[in-house]
Amino acid sequence: MKEFDFVRAGTLSEALEFLAVRHTATRVIAGGTDLMITLRRNDPSWPGPGYILDLTGLDCLRGISREGDRIRIGALTTHTQLAESPLLKDKVPFLSAAAFSVGSPQIRNRGTIGGNIINASPAADTLPPLLALEARCRLVSREGERDVSLTELLTGPYRTSLRPQEILKEVYFQIPGEGTGFSFQKVGRRKALSISRLSVAVLLSLVEGQVGKARVAVGAALANAARLPEVEEFLEGRLLDRDVAQEAGKLAAEKVVEITGRRWSTPYKEPVLLALVRRALLAAGAPQSP
Amino acid sequence: MSQFRSVNHPVRRVDAYEKVTGRAKYAADLRFDGMVWGKVLRSRYPHARIRSINAEKARSLPGVLAVLTAQDVPGAKTFGIVVPNQYLLADDRVRYLGDGVALVAAETESIAQAALALIEVEYEELPGVFDPLAALEKGAPTLHAEAPDNLAVHHHVQKGDLAAGMAEADLVLEREYRTQFIEHAYIEPEAVLALPTHPFGHYLTIYGSFQNIYNIRRSVAKVLALPLNRVRLVQATLGGSFGGKDEVMHAMAGRAALLAQATGRPVKMVNSREESILESYKRHPYILRYQAGVKKDGTISAMKIEVYADAGAYASMTPFVTWRSVVQATGPYQVPHVRTDIYGVYTNNTYTGAMRGFGSPQVCFANESFMDEIALELGMDPIEFRMKNALVDGSVTATGQVLNRHRVSLKEVLSQALEAVQYQDKVREYRRFNETNAEKKRGIGVAVSYRGVSLGGEGTDAAGAYVSVQQDGSVIIHSGLVEMGQGLRTIYTQIVAEELGISADRIVFLDTDTSVNLDSGPTVASRSTIMGGSAMKDAAGRLRLTIHGVAADKLEVAQDDLTGEAGIIYSRNNPEKKITFEEAVRHTALRGLRLTELGWYQGPKVSWDEEHGQGDAYFTYVYAANVAEVEVDAETGQVEVLRFTAAHDVGRAINPENVRGQIYGGVAMALGYGLLEEVEMDKGVTRNLNFDEYFVATTMDVPDIQAIIVENPDEFGPYGAKSVGEPTLEIGAPAIANAIAFATGKRLRELPMDLERVLLGHSLRERRTKRGSVER
Ligand SMILES: Cc1cc2nc3c(=O)[nH]c(=O)nc-3n(C[C@H](O)[C@H](O)[C@H](O)COP(=O)(O)OP(=O)(O)OC[C@H]3O[C@@H](n4cnc5c(N)ncnc54)[C@H](O)[C@@H]3O)c2cc1C
C-alpha cells in the first residue's frame, strides 16, 4: 500500500485551510471504499498522496434535510442513510433504491454519497437518479463556495471539475411535485456486491397519461453517468404506452451507441439498455410507482 | 429413533466456537521471536528463458538477509506427486506467470517487497501456447523435454464394440461442451511459517495452511535433501482449501524452509489475494466432444467421448483428475459400447490440479446437458430417458465393473428429489408461466450422477487413527487426515464417542503433525469419513474391548452383555449392574493395560487396467440427483435460481447437519461454476486477480436449498457411511443449464452461463484497460 500521513480534520475551516496549503499532495477520505482500493493497488505510475485528510469528523457534512421545496444531502451521508431515510423514500424513492443497490451492508454503511459523486465511476449508482433530479453540488474551499450542477461536475470517467483545494459539501435538488413517478433499474452480474453493468433512472410527471416532464439518465453506458436529452424531448408531450416506452428505449440505445461507438460490450448493452429504459418508463408511469 | 447414540445425530461442530469467535489461529496469525518475512519474485512472462539473474542490488538493501535462486536449492530442483516436473524455483526457464524465480528474506515485509523490485532478471521471451488443441499441433511450442508432444497424460476407456453400437442406433447425436478455469476461492490465502534447524538440531518445523500434509512434507524433504524424519509439518487451522492447498503449498513450504535454513531465522510467508490467484492452480477447463447412439425407444446403444483438459504448465494432479473423468464420463447409465479418450495437455496457462469434484464437474456438465439434448431430440421426457438408461443393482459400468457390492440407488435419489419438488406440477406451472410472460421465463432442470468413493485405482488407499484414553476417562484423538472445514474432527469425535459410549465433549482433537500422526495419505476424494472414520472406529473399538473386559470382570458379567452409553457401562440383561466409564478406565490403568490404540483401515481391493481401459475402478459409489428451478430475464440475461433441491445417498449420515452443510456449500459453489465464475486467462495472463472481478456467489444469490439425505448403508464404511463432500457440487451446473434451456429454449454449452451467454448465446470478452475499472 502507498505510504502517507493521516490527518483528521476537526472543523470544516481546518480542513479547507489544510487543503489550501497542501492540496497538491492531499487526498480527502470519506468512507474510503473507493480510495482504499486505489491506495492498495500500488499503481507504480502514481507516487501516492503525501497526506490523507479524513473528513469523517465533520458533522456539518452529514445528514438529509428538507429546506423549503428542496432536499439537501450532506456529502458524508452514507448509502445506508440514503436507503433508509423516510424523507427520501417518500419524495424520491428511486434515490433510496439506487443507494440500497450499492455493494453490501458493509459498503453501504461506510460508502458516502460524496465519495460516490467525486469518485465519478461511470457505474456509480446514485448518479443516475441524482442527474434525473437535476441535482446541484455545493463545493467549498478557503476562498468560498461554488454551486455547480452535477452534470457540469462530471467531466469524464473518474473525472470531475472539483478543484484540488475544494471539498464537496452537499448536494441538493428540488422536491418533485406530487404525482411524479420514479424508477431505478440496474443490471449486475449478481444480486449483491455487484457493480452495475447498466443502470437507468427515470423521473416522470404524467398528466392524464401524457408525459409532462421526463428525465432519463443512464449509468455504466457512457464515459460518465449522464442524462439523455433527446430521449427526454422525445417523451415530453406524448401519451405514455408500451410502444412509446419501447421507442424511447430504442432511441436511448441508439444515442448511446452513437456516442460510444461500437465496442466489445455493445451487442449486449444495446438491447439491454432498450429494455431497461422501457421498463423504467413503464414502472415510473404506473399509477403507484415504487 | 436412531440405533446410535452419537453417530447419526446432529452433534455440534467441535471446532465451531473457536472459529466463530475469531480465536482460531490460522497460519498468518502465527509469530515467533526473530521472525523475518519471505517473498517470491515471480515470472514476468508466461514462457521465457532466463538469461541471467542479478541479485546484488537486492542483497545490499538494508534489512535484506538472503536472496536465493534455483542454484541455492540443495536437493532436487523439482517436485510433484505424479510427475515431478514442477520447479521450486525456475531453473533456466519459466513456464507460466506464477513461476517463482527468486526468494527474498528480509526483516520486514515491505523491505522484502522492495527487494523484489531490485532483482534484475534478464529474460528471453519464448513463444507460448495457451490452448490445449493448439498445443497438440505439430510444431507447437513445447514445455517439457519429457513431453515433446505436450501430452501430460492420455487415459481411455474401451468397452464393447463402438462401431457396432453406433450402427444399432436410430439416432446419432454429437455435441461439444466447454468449461472454464475455476479458482478455489478459499477465504484464507496461503501462509506458512518455517523454523530452521540449527546445525545440531534434529528437524525443521513448518506451520502452514496445508491440505495434503504428507505429500507436502515429501516435497520439502526432497528439495532440501533431508530425510522425512527431519521435516516436521504442523497444520494450522485451515481457512478453506477445496483441493487447493496442495502443490502451491509444496512450493511455499519448500521456499520458506529454504529461507529459514539460509538465514537461521523463522521465516513467514503470506500470499496476498492477488499472489494467491496468480500462482495457485485452478480447476481444469475441458473441451468435451460427446457422441451418442440411441434407439427410438430411448436406450443408449453407444457413446464416444473425446476430452481435452488444459493442464497448464505442470502435471500436478492432471493424471489423476483426468482418470476420474475418464471413468465417470458416460454418467450413471448403462451403455453397452463405449470409447472414451481424455488428453491432459501442457500449455503456458496457470497449471491446473485438484479442486472439489476432481474431474467430475466438467464431465457431469457435458454428460447431463447431453442427456437432456438427446431426450429433446427423441421427443422424450428427460426424466423418462434417464430412468430408462439408469444404472441399477447389478449393472455393468463403462469400465466393466459389476455393481453388486452396494445398493445402486440412482433411481431412488432421483425419485425422492422429483417428489420433493413436485416435478410434474412444476413443469406444467412453468410452461403456463412462460406462455403468458415475455420478459421473464421460468424453467426446471435435472441432473444426476454417480461417483466413485475415495481414491479408487489412483493409488494406495489406507488411513490411520490415534485414540488415547487418559486415566480420568477423557480422550485425546488425532489423525493424519486433516480438518479443512469439512467437519472431519466432529465426525471422528462422534465415531469415537459412539464406540466408547461416552459423550463427544469428553474428546479432544489434536492438531495434525506429520511427525506424530500416521501417514494416512491425502485428505481428498471425499475419503476422510469412510477411510479415516473406519480407522477411528478400529482404534476406539479395540479400546472398548479392553475397557469392557475389565468392566466385565468387575461386574462379574459376560463381556458381550455389556454396553456403554453416556459414560456408563452396564449389563443389557441387568442394567443395575453398571460402572462408570471413568471407573472402568481407572481399573484398566491399574492393571497396566494399554489405553492408547492406533487404528488402521485399508481400502478394499480395486483394479485398473490402463492398457485395456477397464477395471473395478472404485470399491463403492455414491448417487445424487439435483433439481434447479430458475427464472431467466429474457431481456437482460440475468438468471435467478429460485430453488434448488439436492438428494444424495451418503450411505449413512454420521452427522446429518454436517451433510446438509456440505450440500448447501456444494450447491453455492456449483451455482458459481454454472453462472458466475471464470478465471480469465488472456494468453497466459490472469486478468481477474481478486474478488472484485472474480465473482463467487454471495448469500444473496444462493436460493433456498432443499437437502435430501438418502441412506443406504455401505458394507465398507463406518456405520455404513460413504461420502458427500464432492458430489454436492458436480451436477449443479448442468441442472441449471437444463433449467435455462427449459426456460429459454436455448441450449448453452459453455460455462459460465453469464449475462452475455444467456442473452446472446455467446460470451463477450473485454479488452481490459485498468483493473477495477468499470466494464464499458
Ligand atoms: C466491495 C465494493 C462494492 C461496491 N459496490 C458499489 C456499487 O454497487 N455501486 C456503486 O455506486 N459503488 C460501489 N462501490 C464504490 C463505493 O463504495 C462508492 O463509490 C462509495 O459511494 C464511495 O464513497 P466513500 O465515502 O467510500 O468514498 P472514498 O473512497 O472515501 O472517496 C472516493 C473519492 O472521492 C473523494 N471524496 C470523498 N468525499 C469527498 C468530499 N466530500 N469532497 C471531495 N472529495 C471527496 C476522495 O478523495 C476519493 O477520491 C463499491 C465499493 C466496494 C469496495
Side-chain angles (χ1 to χ4, degrees):
Chain A
M1 190 157 90
K2 302 284 180 190
E3 303 263 321
F4 52 82
D5 283 335
F6 187 80
V7 183
R8 194 173 159 87
T11 64
L12 182 58
S13 53
E14 221 176 272
L16 297 178
E17 187 59 38
F18 189 90
L19 276 181
V21 180
R22 300 187 211 269
H23 57 83
T24 48
T26 303
R27 288 289 289 272
V28 305
I29 191 164
T33 57
D34 280 316
L35 189 57
M36 288 306 293
I37 290 165
T38 313
L39 292 172
R40 278 176 182 273
R41 196 175 291 142
N42 261 326
D43 178 355
S45 66
W46 182 48
Y51 302 94
I52 294 287
L53 177 62
D54 179 17
L55 303 182
T56 55
L58 307 180
D59 285 339
C60 60
L61 301 189
R62 265 177 226 290
I64 303 167
S65 56
R66 179 176 184 154
E67 287 165 5
D69 60 353
R70 285 179 181 172
I71 290 174
R72 74 157 274 286
I73 303 174
L76 289 179
T77 307
T78 65
H79 293 294
T80 298
Q81 289 163 341
L82 298 176
E84 291 176 356
S85 156
L87 180 64
L88 298 187
K89 277 159 77 174
D90 179 34
K91 298 295 178 198
V92 286
F94 70 157
L95 180 57
S96 293
F100 188 67
S101 81
V102 170
S104 60
Q106 297 91 326
I107 296 296
R108 292 195 290 274
N109 286 341
R110 286 206 66 85
T112 64
I113 192 168
N116 206 223
I117 294 171
I118 301 301
N119 186 59
S121 158
D125 282 318
T126 63
L127 297 189
L130 287 173
L131 287 165
L133 288 164
E134 296 169 77
R136 298 188 66 82
C137 300
R138 280 215 184 88
L139 313 175
V140 286
S141 69
R142 192 178 61 181
E143 319 318 325
E145 269 193 26
R146 168 159 99 88
D147 189 303
V148 297
S149 72
L150 181 56
T151 304
E152 287 169 278
L153 185 63
L154 300 171
T155 53
Y158 307 98
R159 280 205 307 271
T160 66
S161 58
L162 181 88
R163 295 175 193 141
Q165 57 274 48
E166 284 176 334
I167 283 174
L168 169 64
K169 189 175 160 202
E170 61 196 30
V171 41
Y172 68 92
F173 48 82
Q174 299 280 328
I175 297 174
E178 288 298 318
T180 307
F182 311 89
S183 177
F184 176 72
Q185 305 277 335
K186 166 172 173 173
V187 173
R189 293 198 178 273
R190 56 185 175 189
K191 285 199 190 164
L193 285 166
S194 183
I195 301 295
S196 284
R197 282 285 279 139
L198 214 47
S199 66
V200 172
V202 160
L203 178 155
L204 209 59
S205 69
L206 286 180
V207 183
E208 287 167 7
Q210 196 176 8
V211 178
K213 178 160 144 182
R215 293 292 175 262
V216 178
V218 293
L222 297 166
N224 50 262
R227 278 170 56 190
L228 299 175
E230 293 89 346
V231 180
E232 296 173 354
E233 276 160 35
F234 166 83
L235 284 163
E236 277 163 11
R238 286 184 197 251
L239 276 173
L240 183 70
D241 60 12
R242 207 187 144 82
D243 289 344
V244 166
Q246 175 80 8
E247 276 305 303
K250 222 185 221 165
L251 186 61
E254 265 171 38
K255 285 292 156 199
V256 164
V257 175
E258 212 176 282
I259 297 168
T260 62
R262 300 220 149 249
R263 301 163 164 252
W264 72 274
S265 59
T266 307
Y268 178 79
K269 290 203 169 174
E270 196 174 15
V272 175
L273 183 61
L274 188 163
L276 291 192
V277 169
R278 186 192 68 229
R279 286 180 189 183
L281 287 169
L282 293 176
Q288 295 104 2
S289 62
Chain B
M1 206 18 219
S2 167
Q3 69 200 89
F4 305 107
R5 320 240 176 267
S6 173
V7 155
N8 216 213
H9 291 279
V11 170
R12 197 177 69 190
R13 275 187 81 108
V14 300
D15 52 352
Y17 182 79
E18 285 168 292
K19 284 180 175 169
V20 299
T21 56
R23 285 170 170 83
K25 291 285 178 216
Y26 296 84
D29 297 326
L30 304 177
R31 267 161 236 291
F32 278 80
D33 268 359
M35 186 181 91
V36 299
W37 287 84
K39 280 266 167 210
V40 191
L41 179 71
R42 295 187 180 82
S43 173
R44 197 176 317 143
Y45 303 100
H47 200 192
R49 198 167 296 288
I50 298 175
R51 286 246 168 265
S52 66
I53 302 176
N54 182 351
E56 256 168 63
K57 281 185 199 153
R59 284 201 183 96
S60 59
L61 186 71
V64 170
L65 298 164
V67 182
L68 306 178
T69 63
Q71 288 176 356
D72 304 302
V73 178
K77 303 286 179 200
T78 60
F79 64 89
I81 293 306
V82 195
V83 185
N85 64 2
Q86 187 169 351
Y87 287 77
L88 187 74
L89 290 169
D91 202 358
D92 60 347
R93 235 167 112 187
V94 285
R95 293 174 176 80
Y96 87 111
L97 213 56
D99 262 331
V101 173
L103 298 176
V104 171
E107 295 287 352
T108 69
E109 196 177 8
S110 56
I111 296 174
Q113 188 71 47
L116 293 184
L118 297 177
I119 301 172
E120 295 160 345
V121 185
E122 196 191 327
Y123 292 98
E124 174 195 331
E125 210 184 337
L126 297 172
V129 61
F130 307 104
D131 170 69
L133 298 179
L136 289 175
E137 278 169 20
K138 277 212 166 49
T142 61
L143 278 86
H144 299 283
E146 79 274 9
D149 46 5
N150 285 325
L151 202 57
V153 69
H154 168 215
H155 295 295
H156 76 281
V157 159
Q158 168 68 51
K159 178 189 179 192
D161 178 346
L162 186 75
M166 288 293 175
E168 277 174 40
D170 297 309
L171 168 75
V172 174
L173 206 66
E174 222 179 312
R175 293 286 185 267
E176 184 177 300
Y177 303 89
R178 286 180 185 240
T179 68
Q180 76 279 43
F181 283 98
I182 289 284
E183 162 64 28
H184 301 80
Y186 26 74
I187 194 86
E188 175 209 25
E190 306 80 4
V192 294
L193 203 160
L195 308 179
T197 62
H198 57 78
F200 306 104
H202 285 298
Y203 56 85
L204 64 89
T205 304
I206 313 174
Y207 298 87
S209 51
F210 302 132
Q211 177 172 346
N212 296 330
I213 194 159
Y214 291 93
N215 285 348
I216 299 170
R217 179 180 66 158
R218 238 200 291 172
S219 293
V220 173
K222 219 179 125 198
V223 297
L224 291 183
L226 289 173
L228 291 176
N229 66 347
R230 288 181 180 263
V231 179
R232 172 179 168 236
L233 265 64
V234 182
Q235 191 210 26
T237 307
L238 193 61
S241 184
F242 309 107
K245 284 171 179 161
D246 202 356
E247 281 85 349
V248 67
M249 295 310 300
H250 295 224
M252 196 182 215
R255 290 166 183 170
L258 201 63
L259 286 173
Q261 294 300 73
T263 58
R265 307 266 295 267
V267 174
K268 183 166 175 173
M269 296 179 81
V270 181
N271 273 343
S272 67
R273 179 63 64 186
E274 284 81 1
E275 289 178 302
S276 171
I277 293 187
L278 179 73
E279 180 179 338
S280 72
Y281 53 93
K282 311 294 172 225
R283 180 188 288 150
H284 298 69
Y286 277 17
I287 299 165
L288 309 112
R289 295 175 181 159
Y290 270 67
Q291 190 187 62
V294 280
K295 296 185 189 164
K296 274 204 199 85
D297 68 354
T299 43
I300 302 172
S301 62
M303 281 178 86
K304 179 175 184 294
I305 302 166
E306 209 176 276
V307 183
Y308 298 88
D310 188 343
Y314 298 109
S316 176
M317 284 293 151
T318 294
F320 291 167
V321 167
T322 52
W323 181 73
R324 184 176 282 277
S325 307
V326 89
V327 169
Q328 294 175 184
T330 57
Y333 304 106
Q334 305 183 47
V335 189
H337 308 286
V338 179
R339 172 74 199 198
T340 303
D341 288 278
I342 186 162
Y343 304 89
V345 187
Y346 291 120
T347 67
N348 297 107
N349 292 322
T350 302
Y351 71 110
T352 46
M355 183 178 176
R356 195 176 188 180
F358 206 77
S360 73
Q362 299 94 330
V363 295
C364 288
F365 170 64
N367 188 72
E368 284 303 282
S369 299
F370 194 44
M371 290 299 135
D372 262 37
E373 293 208 63
I374 298 172
L376 183 72
E377 210 57 42
L378 286 171
M380 208 166 159
D381 178 74
I383 304 298
E384 194 191 329
F385 178 64
R386 283 184 174 81
M387 286 291 192
K388 183 152 197 121
N389 294 288
L391 292 173
V392 295
D393 284 330
S395 288
V396 182
T397 68
T399 69
Q401 181 171 3
V402 184
L403 300 176
N404 56 9
R405 297 292 298 265
H406 65 273
R407 178 75 220 288
V408 178
S409 57
L410 182 65
K411 289 186 175 184
E412 185 182 347
V413 291
L414 179 53
S415 305
Q416 288 213 23
L418 295 176
E419 199 179 319
V421 299
Q422 305 272 312
Y423 178 77
Q424 291 303 344
D425 293 350
K426 284 283 169 57
V427 167
R428 278 190 293 275
E429 180 190 325
Y430 293 156
R431 287 218 175 104
R432 243 179 290 125
F433 180 92
N434 293 343
E435 277 165 23
T436 50
N437 279 280
E439 295 177 12
K440 302 278 170 82
K441 299 286 179 189
R442 289 192 177 168
I444 184 165
V446 172
V448 298
S449 70
Y450 80 136
R451 179 183 184 89
V453 172
S454 200
L455 301 174
E458 270 172 43
T460 313
D461 206 356
Y466 171 100
V467 180
S468 178
V469 179
Q470 308 302 295
Q471 296 205 357
D472 63 355
S474 63
V475 180
I476 295 171
I477 66 176
H478 57 72
S479 92
L481 296 175
V482 304
E483 175 67 57
M484 46 190 173
Q486 83 279 40
L488 166 150
R489 292 186 174 194
T490 309
I491 299 300
Y492 289 0
T493 299
Q494 285 180 264
I495 289 173
V496 171
E498 184 73 38
E499 288 302 307
L500 296 180
I502 57 176
S503 65
D505 58 17
R506 297 181 65 174
I507 300 170
V508 159
F509 202 112
L510 292 195
D511 290 341
T512 300
D513 176 330
T514 51
S515 294
V516 174
N517 309 125
L518 285 74
D519 184 344
S520 302
T523 311
V524 298
S526 307
R527 71 191 275 272
S528 44
T529 297
I530 195 163
M531 299 301 299
S534 295
M536 282 288 164
K537 187 163 182 276
D538 175 43
R542 280 191 274 125
L543 281 166
R544 187 193 57 224
L545 284 181
T546 306
I547 296 163
H548 282 202
V550 172
D553 244 27
K554 285 268 148 204
L555 299 173
E556 297 176 330
V557 296
Q559 182 171 346
D560 57 12
D561 180 32
L562 288 182
T563 187
E565 185 184 336
I568 308 287
I569 301 166
Y570 62 92
S571 154
R572 283 196 192 88
N573 288 323
N574 180 5
E576 286 309 299
K577 288 209 165 219
K578 62 184 176 187
I579 181 171
T580 64
F581 182 74
E582 288 102 311
E583 195 57 13
V585 166
R586 200 169 63 82
H587 288 293
T588 311
L590 282 175
R591 289 186 186 189
L593 297 175
R594 186 172 61 181
L595 279 166
T596 295
E597 291 285 352
L598 298 180
W600 194 252
Y601 183 70
Q602 225 182 325
K605 204 176 140 302
V606 292
S607 68
W608 184 249
D609 177 347
E610 181 75 21
E611 191 190 331
H612 297 101
Q614 288 282 285
D616 292 344
Y618 296 94
F619 59 80
T620 191
Y621 291 80
V622 290
Y623 301 85
N626 287 2
V627 186
E629 295 164 64
V630 304
E631 183 173 286
V632 181
D633 187 323
E635 296 187 316
T636 65
Q638 274 175 315
V639 176
E640 178 177 1
V641 181
L642 301 170
R643 224 151 67 101
F644 202 94
T645 305
H648 291 270
D649 185 349
V650 300
R652 171 94 63 203
I654 300 290
N655 188 321
E657 207 47 43
N658 204 57
V659 169
R660 277 189 279 274
Q662 287 292 309
I663 292 175
Y664 301 149
V667 170
M669 282 178 99
L671 193 147
Y673 188 45
L675 298 175
L676 299 168
E677 297 180 41
E678 172 165 25
V679 178
E680 293 172 40
M681 210 63 87
D682 180 1
K683 295 206 173 356
V685 179
T686 308
R687 289 296 174 196
N688 39 1
L689 289 172
N690 208 329
F691 296 134
D692 56 338
E693 295 177 313
Y694 184 86
F695 304 111
V696 297
T698 70
T699 47
M700 302 298 287
D701 301 291
V702 178
D704 272 351
I705 298 166
Q706 196 172 185
I708 301 168
I709 300 173
V710 177
E711 294 185 306
N712 286 295
D714 194 272
E715 68 170 293
F716 297 119
Y719 315 97
K722 295 202 268 195
S723 62
V724 70
E726 291 169 284
T728 57
L729 74 49
E730 63 191 12
I731 46 179
I736 293 170
N738 291 339
I740 292 174
F742 179 115
T744 64
K746 282 189 285 188
R747 171 59 55 181
L748 298 177
R749 302 190 183 91
E750 285 184 36
L751 295 181
M753 299 174 281
D754 58 14
L755 296 173
E756 293 83 2
R757 285 204 174 97
V758 173
L759 188 72
L760 307 171
H762 56 85
S763 74
L764 293 176
R765 269 299 180 89
E766 178 181 12
R767 284 169 298 281
R768 214 179 284 269
T769 46
K770 151 173 158 201
R771 273 211 58 222
S773 66
V774 66
E775 307 170 43
R776 254 178 297 132

